Amino acid sequence: MTEDIRRQAGELEAAVLVVLWAADRPLTPPEVQAALTEPLARTTVATTLARLHAKGTLDRVRAGRAYAYSPAVEDRAALAAQRMHTELDKGDDRQGVLARFVSRLSSADEIVLRELLEQAAEPGERS
Amino acid sequence: MTWAVWAPLIIPFLAVPAARRLAAALPPRPAALLLVAAAGALACLSGAALALLAGAAVLRLPVVASLGHLSVPLLERVAPAAVPVGVVAAVAAGAVAVAVARVLHGHRAARVRVARELAGHSRAGDLTVLPDEGADAYALPGRPGGVVVTAGMLRGLDADERAVLLAHERAHLTGRHHLLLLLARLAACAHPALRGLREPLAFQVERWADEAAAAVVGDRRLAARAVARAALAASAAPTGRLRPAGALPAAAGPVPRRVAALLVAPPLARGSFARARSVSAVLLACLLVSGAAAAEATTDLHEDIETAQAGSAAPAGP
């Protein structure tokens, strides 16, 4: 039970971070709340944002009467990301360590995929 | 020793195509489990065959023979080619052991390296975001693990598609898919034919996570769109290499097949079960013959030993 609650709290923090990374500017708690796919209480969102800020995961700036939040990025983080990619692409090890969401596409794959995407984008979802 | 000991070494060449065909007709979860089980069983049996062949030669070593009270001339008579064959088998078994050790070591080293690299990045709950414009996403098993995704990937998808992405990666983690992939890699060390099971397993594991994600968001079409858009974003990313143009491959790559599978009816309602049944009969027969042959070969070796012991109980020569 506590395991379940902890997992849910973790997933909520992750969802908030996703929203802030996807946005191109700092967001206020109501904006974050609106961008989340799951309906959540405003106070829950505000508490999560404050907690992530306290941990140093988020930066915040004053926006009128509220705060607007954005992901905190260390200067060296971008460099580290680059280094990680080269590490990950090294050798055969990665297959056992990580499962990548999408593998690389051939040019033929790309054509097929665009056709399939048109099918998937057709109206009539959730019939 | 009879033909029996060779069966576990030959049967993988038959069983691997059967397992691949059967997996293609099954829903992703049973397909993945079948592939891993087949890889594990065939690898163990072929390892046992190598051990038996090498063991038969070890008996000829004077030290072993005298310890076991064996008559070497008698062993020579019941199994004349045991020594050269056994030496080859021992070398092969050594190569397998080295390959397994290297895979395990590489796996551990890669996990440590990646975990170190992840420290210091934007992290919340089970998610780490890399500040990278290239689109990419992984599931990273283990202690500091979780879902790793680049900022470029998050910006390339809409909110619903991002939910699919997270659900897909979490399905890999909760299903412990990395262990299945590792097992298949280890099995492939034991017998070259088993390498043919790794690619279908990698595909079925992705399908499994796709179906799990589709169930979480409650919309298969949305899941299909998310996988397709993510793949296109990843291939358009600045980190992507130049793809060879021209020459169309015969079969579509794994991503279009995943998307197409999500756009048709759920896997349980599909597939010809009659064909699946006949292919599974072939696979089961392969495994049974292989297992029986390994047991038979063990009995043979045991009988040879007893014969040689009986022989040495009689006068032990001048």
Side-chain angles (χ1 to χ4, degrees):
Chain A
M1 198 60 203
T2 49
E3 180 66 29
D4 210 41
I5 290 166
R6 198 177 310 131
R7 189 180 55 80
Q8 278 177 13
E11 290 191 4
L12 175 56
E13 289 189 0
V16 165
L17 190 64
V18 162
V19 165
L20 291 173
W21 270 103
D24 47 9
R25 61 182 177 81
L27 299 182
T28 60
E31 286 172 326
V32 172
Q33 185 196 16
L36 286 168
T37 44
E38 279 178 71
L40 283 164
R42 177 115 150 234
T43 49
T44 313
V45 175
T47 313
T48 307
L49 286 167
R51 192 166 57 229
L52 287 175
H53 173 256
K55 282 185 193 167
T57 311
L58 302 182
D59 287 336
R60 66 182 183 191
V61 290
R62 271 245 170 247
R65 294 172 55 197
Y67 283 111
Y69 293 86
S70 59
V73 183
E74 289 180 46
D75 289 342
R76 53 178 197 85
L79 204 72
Q82 207 57 47
R83 200 169 63 227
M84 172 138 155
H85 271 293
T86 53
E87 286 285 353
L88 293 179
D89 287 332
K90 233 186 252 169
D92 191 34
D93 288 338
R94 59 167 303 138
Q95 204 208 341
V97 175
L98 341 123
R100 211 172 196 159
F101 186 48
V102 285
S103 49
R104 298 287 173 199
L105 298 177
S106 71
S107 45
D109 282 355
E110 244 178 89
I111 296 165
V112 176
L113 212 48
R114 285 187 197 284
E115 282 168 9
L116 287 169
L117 198 51
E118 272 170 33
Q119 272 184 50
E122 275 167 17
E125 292 170 16
R126 296 171 206 256
S127 52
Chain B
M1 204 162 302
T2 58
W3 58 271
V5 73
W6 298 102
L9 297 174
I10 294 162
I11 278 175
F13 291 105
L14 250 169
V16 165
R20 289 178 62 131
R21 291 190 60 175
L22 184 55
L26 287 173
R29 186 168 181 273
L33 296 176
L34 167 97
L35 289 167
V36 171
L42 293 168
C44 288
L45 289 168
S46 100
L50 286 182
L52 285 170
L53 287 169
V58 167
L59 295 178
R60 307 292 175 81
L61 292 176
V63 188
V64 179
S66 73
L67 269 176
H69 306 292
L70 301 170
S71 152
V72 172
L74 252 178
L75 278 176
E76 208 74 59
R77 190 138 27 94
V78 287
V83 171
V85 170
V87 169
V88 173
V91 169
V96 168
V98 169
V100 165
R102 284 186 57 177
V103 166
L104 287 175
H105 176 259
H107 184 77
R108 203 167 307 134
R111 273 174 79 155
V112 170
R113 207 165 56 216
V114 170
R116 206 171 37 223
E117 296 288 356
L118 275 190
H121 281 293
S122 184
R123 189 176 168 86
D126 62 346
L127 176 77
T128 303
V129 182
L130 304 178
D132 188 328
E133 281 313 307
D136 217 341
Y138 328 101
L140 185 62
R143 206 29 71 87
V147 179
V148 182
V149 57
T150 62
M153 180 66 94
L154 292 177
R155 288 176 191 143
L157 302 177
D158 70 27
D160 290 332
E161 293 161 354
R162 291 194 291 264
V164 173
L165 170 88
L166 290 183
H168 172 105
E169 299 303 348
R170 285 180 181 137
H172 279 319
L173 295 170
T174 51
R176 308 201 141 266
H177 292 172
H178 67 287
L179 288 181
L180 302 183
L181 296 171
L182 178 63
L183 272 173
R185 259 183 96 188
L186 293 174
C189 295
H191 195 293
L194 299 179
R195 286 178 205 158
L197 294 175
R198 285 182 62 188
E199 181 266 325
L201 177 66
F203 176 74
Q204 293 298 345
V205 158
E206 291 306 321
R207 283 277 303 122
W208 179 348
D210 283 346
E211 290 295 339
V216 167
V217 297
D219 186 344
R220 297 167 57 79
R221 224 170 237 280
L222 166 62
R225 204 172 69 217
V227 172
R229 299 237 356 239
L232 290 172
S235 81
T239 49
R241 284 132 230 145
L242 282 179
R243 251 155 279 288
L248 299 182
V255 175
R257 283 191 287 141
R258 282 165 60 193
V259 174
L262 282 167
L263 288 176
V264 297
L268 267 175
R270 205 158 46 87
S272 82
F273 281 98
R275 202 188 70 144
R277 211 173 300 141
S278 60
V279 181
S280 52
V282 171
L283 182 62
L284 195 63
C286 284
L287 287 173
L288 284 178
V289 168
S290 198
E296 167 73 14
T298 313
T299 319
D300 281 351
L301 183 62
H302 187 238
E303 275 170 10
D304 288 356
I305 292 171
E306 299 220 308
T307 314
Q309 278 177 334
S312 82

